[in-house]
Amino acid sequence: MTSLTAIDLFCGAGGLSEGFRQAGYHILAGIDLDAPAGRTFLATHPEATFFCRRIQDVGVSDILNATGLKPGELDVLVGGPPCQGYSVYNHQRGTHDPRAGLFKEYLRLVEGLRPRWLVMENVSGLTSIAQGGIIREIEEGMGGLGYEVSWKILKAEEYGVPQERRRIVFVGNRIGATNAFPEPTHGPGLQPLVTIWDAISDLPPLQNGEKTGPDRYAGPPANAFQRELRKGVKRLTNHSAPKLSPVNEARMKHIPSGGSWRDIPFNLLPEGMKRAKRSDHTKRYGRPRKTDLACTILTKCDVHWGAYIHPDQDRALTVREAARLQSFPDSFEFEGSRTEQYVQVGNAVPPLLGRKIAQAIKQADDAIASEQALAAAE
């Protein structure tokens, strides 16, 4: 059987394509303008071609020539174009908005490549823009090219990711298959949710600002999640602690497990937060419990903005810890400055969620192939 193929638009470091690779897809190419993310993508997807360009500057012929494909041969085109600037309902759109037109560029490549399947992901907040108008635009854009499209908001923690994360996922196909989404595997009545401590407890302790942390694990893997992410890895990377200021160090010492900015003495609070209501800023200066899910991993683990203090060490989460909470394998060595590494991790689709999506598509693909084989035999 010919191997299944995928191309990742707006690929970043390659979280979504990593999930598809884990499900058995051959990743042929990725496109992104972020050069450090591209270096990470190339290092972790050595079989793929990487286009470090604006998507507007990548032609269909460029992709076909690099991959050896012909139109209609690609199995899945995946990606997450920013859509907010595209919508006709967004009255602030225009050439000043760098997001404007990116979804149209996505459709341009769909039209030229004619993949059998589409997977597009984005922020769950798309549903509330213009009373759902942008959702209708996406459906109409894909439908106009002959794709039957469905969408669903997926909760990453329901698929074994140790983090509260919501993403809207569009799945489309032009082969008459049912658009399938993965069934939850974790939660009430299912497997237990994977906690923060399940994800990071084997990583060595660090001091605040310790730049060259140990490259060895603190001990053997403690559970199936750690075993899977450590598979084949001998040297730990991207595990160094950002240097927080003395005042932030002083603040953290007052924050217990499960605590937040409310536990910081008034005289140590940032000036802007001294005027805050107790009901405001619920995640700021948060120290999660070991048994918690992580809050959504963003493009920086800034303790001032979220619950990014280590559960039992007075420091911020490292890039490796953030990557674990995103379900990246430890084999991913993130390139660039530490700031750029945090951005790559925070912008990514959790690979484990990507794998579940890919497996659901494979099952739907197999089902339509079986139906076609039976029809041909009759």
Side-chain angles (χ1 to χ4, degrees), residues 103-181:
F103 178 62
K104 289 183 178 179
E105 295 296 326
Y106 178 91
L107 291 180
R108 172 180 64 84
L109 295 182
V110 170
E111 185 175 20
L113 295 173
R114 299 291 296 158
R116 298 170 66 249
W117 290 86
L118 301 176
V119 175
M120 194 182 90
E121 62 80 32
N122 216 289
V123 294
S124 59
L126 285 188
T127 58
S128 60
I129 297 175
Q131 293 77 52
I134 195 166
I135 302 292
R136 292 190 293 275
E137 288 189 63
I138 291 169
E139 291 174 327
E140 290 167 6
M142 293 178 174
L145 295 178
Y147 289 84
E148 183 69 30
V149 181
S150 308
W151 63 271
K152 189 173 183 179
I153 293 181
L154 300 183
K155 300 178 180 180
E157 65 269 27
E158 293 185 343
Y159 304 96
V161 179
Q163 174 195 170
E164 293 180 341
R165 195 178 189 94
R166 308 287 181 270
R167 301 298 286 184
I168 186 168
V169 176
F170 296 84
V171 174
N173 77 89
R174 59 172 181 79
I175 59 173
T178 299
N179 287 324
F181 293 88

Side-chain angles (χ1 to χ4, degrees), residues 6 9 40 73 126 144 168 177 198 214-215 226 228 275 311 342 345 362:
L9 309 182
T40 301
E73 290 183 342
L126 285 188
I168 186 168
D198 289 336
D215 64 0
Q226 293 177 10
E228 180 173 354
R275 300 185 295 275
Y342 278 117
V345 173
K362 281 183 71 175

Side-chain angles (χ1 to χ4, degrees), residues 60-369:
V60 171
S61 60
D62 295 328
I63 297 173
L64 296 178
N65 290 337
T67 61
L69 291 171
K70 296 177 181 177
E73 290 183 342
L74 179 65
D75 289 299
V76 188
L77 186 68
V78 306
C83 295
Q84 295 90 330
Y86 164 70
S87 176
V88 298
Y89 298 94
N90 176 4
H91 300 298
Q92 303 301 316
R93 73 191 188 285
T95 55
H96 64 280
D97 188 336
R99 302 169 301 183
L102 292 179
F103 178 62
K104 289 183 178 179
E105 295 296 326
Y106 178 91
L107 291 180
R108 172 180 64 84
L109 295 182
V110 170
E111 185 175 20
L113 295 173
R114 299 291 296 158
R116 298 170 66 249
W117 290 86
L118 301 176
V119 175
M120 194 182 90
E121 62 80 32
N122 216 289
V123 294
S124 59
L126 285 188
T127 58
S128 60
I129 297 175
Q131 293 77 52
I134 195 166
I135 302 292
R136 292 190 293 275
E137 288 189 63
I138 291 169
E139 291 174 327
E140 290 167 6
M142 293 178 174
L145 295 178
Y147 289 84
E148 183 69 30
V149 181
S150 308
W151 63 271
K152 189 173 183 179
I153 293 181
L154 300 183
K155 300 178 180 180
E157 65 269 27
E158 293 185 343
Y159 304 96
V161 179
Q163 174 195 170
E164 293 180 341
R165 195 178 189 94
R166 308 287 181 270
R167 301 298 286 184
I168 186 168
V169 176
F170 296 84
V171 174
N173 77 89
R174 59 172 181 79
I175 59 173
T178 299
N179 287 324
F181 293 88
E183 291 294 325
T185 53
H186 293 67
L190 302 169
Q191 298 178 58
L193 296 173
V194 180
T195 68
I196 290 175
W197 208 238
D198 289 336
I200 69 171
S201 66
D202 63 325
L203 299 178
L206 297 172
Q207 298 296 318
N208 175 44
E210 190 172 345
K211 292 183 179 179
T212 54
D215 64 0
R216 296 182 180 275
Y217 295 101
N223 51 56
F225 183 88
Q226 293 177 10
R227 280 193 295 274
E228 180 173 354
L229 269 59
R230 285 172 57 162
K231 194 178 300 179
V233 177
K234 303 298 183 185
R235 185 179 68 89
L236 184 64
T237 62
N238 302 118
H239 188 55
S240 63
K243 177 65 175 175
L244 300 182
S245 65
V247 69
N248 271 330
E249 276 198 282
R251 289 165 181 158
M252 287 189 294
K253 294 183 186 304
H254 294 278
I255 303 170
S257 175
S260 70
W261 69 275
R262 297 172 189 80
D263 299 292
I264 299 172
F266 183 82
N267 65 302
L268 284 178
L269 284 172
E271 287 302 315
M273 297 185 73
K274 288 179 178 178
R275 300 185 295 275
K277 297 178 182 177
R278 301 289 290 178
S279 58
D280 290 345
H281 314 301
T282 54
K283 297 286 188 181
R284 287 191 175 187
Y285 288 94
R287 188 192 296 275
R289 301 175 185 87
K290 293 179 178 180
T291 54
D292 288 344
L293 291 167
C295 65
T296 301
I297 299 299
L298 303 177
T299 54
K300 55 182 179 179
C301 289
D302 188 331
V303 300
H304 182 71
W305 294 107
Y308 301 120
I309 299 175
H310 189 277
D312 67 2
Q313 299 166 37
D314 288 333
R315 61 171 178 81
L317 295 175
T318 68
V319 171
R320 178 54 55 199
E321 287 162 342
R324 281 282 188 94
L325 298 171
Q326 279 275 61
S327 75
F328 272 102
D330 290 356
S331 57
F332 265 70
E333 184 169 351
F334 296 91
E335 302 285 342
S337 69
R338 187 161 55 200
T339 296
E340 291 166 337
Q341 294 166 16
Y342 278 117
V343 170
Q344 292 171 45
V345 173
N347 276 336
V349 175
L352 187 51
L353 177 59
R355 185 172 81 195
K356 299 292 187 179
I357 294 168
Q359 289 170 339
I361 289 174
K362 281 183 71 175
Q363 290 175 358
D365 223 353
D366 290 343
I368 194 72

